[in-house]
């Protein structure tokens, strides 16, 4: 059974750095066809893709947010970590991690974690 | 970057009747490998999104056959042959020919 579980702070202050962890089970992060993305959804708004890590550890970043994002993984812990610097209230959103399985992007999603940016 | 647009943004449907959503991309989603990288997702109220259609017209595992996708190049359509109550939510089209980008979503209610 494939699961993804996001964890991290529910509240961050403006200018702080956000760190979120996605813990996966039911598949291996180092499997040739697997990757994990982070996405977000501000309240009442559309989905936005942020960053992806491939099975070979290559990364792909959203053009608009590239300078603020870092993605990494710990295959021994089955975890993918997102960091986003210089948080702003407009970054308030539910943050999701989702699996990309070869030609099936985002076939499994986590439940999401709501992050509020406020002083 | 590839920009995705959808119409309509809101759709009220009648149970048992058909429904259709249009999605357009700012550039062709046809890849040199011959595949077209267009997908549809449904986000039901209070839930995470889930995959409905991949590569324009293939239904993901467990998706009812009342859902169908069509289109090519830059113009795509999702059709529901007979809307059921469980189909309410926001439908998103998405491309991954170049990175990933979603449309603005179409909210479907009864």
């Amino acid at each position: 059974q494939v699961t993804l579980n996001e964890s991290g702070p529910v509240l961050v202050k403006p200018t702080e750095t956000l760190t979120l962890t996605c813990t996966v089970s039911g598949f291996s992060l180092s499997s040739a066809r697997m990757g994990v993305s982070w996405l977000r959804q501000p309240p009442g708004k559309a989905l936005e893709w942020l960053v992806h890590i491939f099975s070979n550890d290559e990364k792909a970043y959203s053009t608009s947010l590239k300078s603020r994002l870092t993605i990494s993984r710990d295959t021994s812990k089955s975890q993918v970590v997102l960091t986003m610097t210089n948080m702003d209230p407009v970054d308030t959103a539910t943050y999701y991690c989702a699996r990309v399985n070869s030609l099936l992007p985002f076939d499994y999603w986590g439940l999401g974690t709501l992050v509020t940016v406020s002083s | 970057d590839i920009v995705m647009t959808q119409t309509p943004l809101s759709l009220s449907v009648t149970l048992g009747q058909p429904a259709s959503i249009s999605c357009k991309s700012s550039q062709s989603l046809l890849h040199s490998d011959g595949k077209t990288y267009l997908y549809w997702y449904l986000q039901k109220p209070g839930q995470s999104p889930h995959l409905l259609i991949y590569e324009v017209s293939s239904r993901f595992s467990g998706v009812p056959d009342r859902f169908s996708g069509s289109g090519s190049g830059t113009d795509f359509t999702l059709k529901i042959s007979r809307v059921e109550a469980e189909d309410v939510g926001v439908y998103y089209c998405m491309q991954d020919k170049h990175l990933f980008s979603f449309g603005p979503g179409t909210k479907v209610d009864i």
Side-chain angles (χ1 to χ4, degrees), chain A residues 37 39 41 45-49 52 60-64 96 100 103-107 109-112, chain B residues 1 35 37 39 41 43 47-51 54-55 60 92 94 96 98-105:
Chain A
S37 276
L39 308 94
Q41 185 174 38
K45 295 187 177 181
L47 295 163
E48 178 183 20
W49 172 77
H52 182 75
Y61 293 89
S62 162
T63 303
S64 60
Y96 296 97
V100 174
L103 297 177
L104 294 176
F106 315 141
D107 61 340
W109 295 67
L111 295 178
Chain B
D1 290 2
K35 296 180 180 178
Y37 292 99
Y39 307 82
Y41 296 81
Q43 186 174 30
Q47 297 185 15
S48 303
H50 66 268
L51 179 62
Y54 63 98
E55 293 180 21
F60 186 53
Y92 295 95
M94 188 211 73
D96 75 343
H98 174 66
L99 301 180
F100 303 90
S101 53
F102 289 85

Side-chain angles (χ1 to χ4, degrees), chain B residues 1-4 24-30 73-76 95 97-98:
Chain B
D1 290 2
I2 298 177
V3 177
M4 307 298 289
K24 295 183 187 296
S25 56
S26 60
Q27 54 185 271
S28 175
L29 301 183
L30 175 62
T74 61
D75 294 326
F76 306 94
Q95 68 80 26
K97 179 185 178 185
H98 174 66

Side-chain angles (χ1 to χ4, degrees), chain B residues 32-43:
Chain B
S32 56
D33 64 7
K35 296 180 180 178
T36 300
Y37 292 99
L38 185 282
Y39 307 82
W40 290 95
Y41 296 81
L42 167 59
Q43 186 174 30

Side-chain angles (χ1 to χ4, degrees), chain A residues 10-86:
Chain A
V10 295
L11 179 66
V12 297
K13 291 181 169 56
T15 76
E16 289 186 341
T17 293
L18 170 68
T19 300
L20 294 175
T21 300
C22 176
T23 303
V24 310
S25 65
F27 70 100
S28 171
L29 294 175
S30 56
S31 174
R33 299 188 306 161
M34 301 297 173
V36 172
S37 276
W38 283 96
L39 308 94
R40 69 179 180 179
Q41 185 174 38
K45 295 187 177 181
L47 295 163
E48 178 183 20
W49 172 77
L50 301 176
V51 61
H52 182 75
I53 189 164
F54 294 86
S55 56
N56 62 0
D57 206 32
E58 289 189 8
K59 291 95 172 177
Y61 293 89
S62 162
T63 303
S64 60
L65 293 168
K66 184 174 183 177
S67 64
R68 297 175 54 205
L69 298 173
T70 302
I71 191 170
S72 62
R73 68 179 186 179
D74 185 332
T75 55
S76 66
K77 295 182 179 179
S78 294
Q79 292 180 334
V80 177
V81 177
L82 169 73
T83 61
M84 179 179 289
T85 61
N86 194 25

Side-chain angles (χ1 to χ4, degrees), chain B residues 33-87:
Chain B
D33 64 7
K35 296 180 180 178
T36 300
Y37 292 99
L38 185 282
Y39 307 82
W40 290 95
Y41 296 81
L42 167 59
Q43 186 174 30
K44 296 183 179 182
Q47 297 185 15
S48 303
H50 66 268
L51 179 62
L52 292 175
I53 302 286
Y54 63 98
E55 293 180 21
V56 180
S57 59
S58 297
R59 279 186 299 276
F60 186 53
S61 174
V63 174
D65 61 7
R66 65 179 181 274
F67 291 94
S68 64
S70 62
S72 63
T74 61
D75 294 326
F76 306 94
T77 302
L78 176 71
K79 293 183 178 179
I80 310 173
S81 59
R82 295 174 303 279
V83 173
E84 298 189 5
E86 64 182 22
D87 300 337

